Amino acid sequence: MKIMGPVPLKGEVEISTSKNAILPILAASLLSEEKKIIHKIPDIDDVEIIIQLIKELGIKVNYFDKSIEFNGSYNQIEPPFELVRQIRASFLVMGPLLARKGSVRISLPGGCAIGTRPIDLHLKGFAILGAQIIQAGGDIIAKGKLRGNHIYLDFPSVGATENLIMAASLAEGTTYIENAALEPEIIDLTNFINSMGGKIKGAGTNVIKIEGVKKLKETEYYPIPDRIEAGTYMVAAAASRGNILLYNVIPEHVKSVTAKLIESGAEVSESDKQIRVKGSDIIKPVYIKTLPYPGFPTDMQAQFMAYLSCAEGSSIITESVFENRFMHVQELLRMGANIKIEGRTAIIKGVRSLDGANVKATDLRAGAALFIAALMARGQTIITDSEHIDRGYEKVTDKLRALGADITR
Ligand code: EPZ
């Protein structure tokens, strides 16, 4: 990805369906054998991989326009290794397969650039629901009839909450998940399962009650827009000193990003499904600590760091969710940023301007941080491994170009 800067972004951008909502919803489609239609599927690589995985399980998939229709039963219970290894979210099929088939064999998901990404909370929850868990040859094998129970999550893990909601939705009896994740994507997943006849209450609070049902039925569903894609374009507008209108966005879902942008001197105005962001010449330094929702999202940390690299003064960012999510710092330093890391805290001393450079995208959100930095920087930036960005940002090149960016792939 080659970007010439500095360019202020101007114009409008439509936010796509949420990657982190659609991935668990696609996994949850395995809970029912009847017809499910899901609309506004984003054209991003992670979704392609999950759909490929569902096809490999033997399910008929019709893809028309941006809608997808699943039908029929399946008998495979071993998702293919090479697909599971490609994206962690494929681990979310474990709950549905265990609930539907009473047995599943799945490879341990890979770690990734931002951390080891353990799955202990998922496995502990499945065991509490009655599954027998064995680890063999890099795979996890889980067997057993699931019965409702009380699960307390040591950490409000998004993936563990999602996997356990899916498993419990077909278990015998009632399950309570305590210290559950509060993310909007959890609410969207439970709305999807309830639209198939599920009986889940309390999503969006830290105690979720799931009454197991015998069968889940057909449905048609529209998932929520992507709050992290929205946050990314909001920061890009402020960082490039531009002025853009985002539509198909839920302002409630990006409250913490809006608050921090206003604190740093940007102008943010909201209406029901639109947000306008106007950057200011002076970027004020801010303190950020990433936290589970509704705290400041870890998925917005790298993008905000790029923005604050040109603030008037020093900012502090503490990454409290993942243990190794500062891979973008090395690359921002190559562009002239002044950042020091102390453990899980980064001190960003603002510089007057960044300079274009050759940099590397190490993961999805680090890649987004680099295109934001490139929009701010003087001269040409080349981002290699930019396919990381395509995993979670639909038509990113077209959307940035439509906003005035001088960008080529
Ligand atoms: C989801 O990942 C998102 N991915 C991530 O977005 C996001 O960063 C993360 O939630 C936190 O918000 C999807 O929704 C597909 P977690 P997930 O389980 O479920 C520890 C992006 O850029 N943990 O809430 O894997 C874990 O190590 C991606 O879109 C355990 O210790 O996140 C981490 O430190 C990146 N044991 C913390 O919890 C477990 O069993 C948060 O992980 C599970 C997690």
Side-chain angles (χ1 to χ4, degrees), residues 15-215:
I15 299 305
S16 303
T17 295
S18 163
K19 165 177 90 76
N20 293 349
I22 192 78
L23 292 174
I25 283 173
L26 289 170
S29 64
L30 295 173
L31 288 166
S32 130
E33 300 201 357
E34 295 186 21
K35 184 166 78 169
K36 284 97 26 188
I37 300 179
I38 302 167
H39 295 288
K40 297 190 79 178
I41 301 278
D43 175 14
I44 53 178
D45 297 352
D46 276 13
V47 166
E48 295 308 316
I49 295 170
I50 283 282
I51 290 172
Q52 184 54 36
L53 192 152
I54 289 172
K55 279 184 186 161
E56 302 263 336
L57 290 173
I59 292 185
K60 242 174 42 287
V61 176
N62 304 330
Y63 218 158
F64 45 98
D65 191 18
K66 290 179 71 90
S67 301
I68 190 164
E69 179 184 316
F70 298 100
N71 231 326
S73 63
Y74 54 94
N75 36 37
Q76 247 286 11
I77 53 165
E78 299 196 4
F81 169 83
E82 65 286 346
L83 288 174
V84 174
R85 293 290 291 174
Q86 278 182 52
I87 62 163
R88 285 184 42 77
S90 42
F91 196 69
L92 292 172
V93 301
M94 184 169 178
L97 286 176
L98 185 54
R100 281 294 313 286
K101 299 290 179 185
S103 157
V104 55
R105 178 178 187 129
I106 186 166
S107 114
L108 275 164
C112 66
I114 63 178
T116 52
R117 316 286 299 268
I119 51 164
D120 55 309
L121 300 178
H122 300 239
L123 301 181
K124 215 166 91 173
F126 289 136
I128 291 171
L129 293 175
Q132 198 208 349
I133 311 270
I134 312 157
Q135 191 162 332
D139 286 352
I140 296 281
I141 302 161
K143 280 193 174 60
K145 184 153 180 34
L146 301 183
R147 276 185 191 70
N149 207 334
H150 261 258
I151 300 169
Y152 177 82
L153 289 179
D154 301 357
F155 179 86
S157 151
V158 173
T161 303
E162 291 167 344
N163 237 335
L164 295 169
I165 285 173
M166 292 189 277
S169 60
L170 290 178
E172 208 169 275
T174 299
T175 298
Y176 291 87
I177 302 177
E178 323 233 3
N179 196 27
L182 309 178
E183 271 72 355
E185 292 77 25
I186 307 279
I187 299 174
D188 212 29
L189 173 65
T190 52
N191 289 341
F192 175 70
I193 298 174
N194 285 344
S195 78
M196 295 193 286
K199 289 202 181 104
I200 306 168
K201 289 196 179 66
T205 75
N206 45 31
V207 180
I208 300 180
K209 176 184 176 185
I210 303 114
E211 286 176 70
V213 295
K214 282 248 171 313
K215 228 166 102 65

Side-chain angles (χ1 to χ4, degrees), residues 285-289 308 314-318 344-348:
V286 295
Y287 289 2
I288 286 180
K289 178 172 185 179
L308 294 172
S314 291
S315 302
I316 296 179
I317 295 186
T318 301
R344 285 196 167 200
T345 296
I347 297 121
I348 304 101

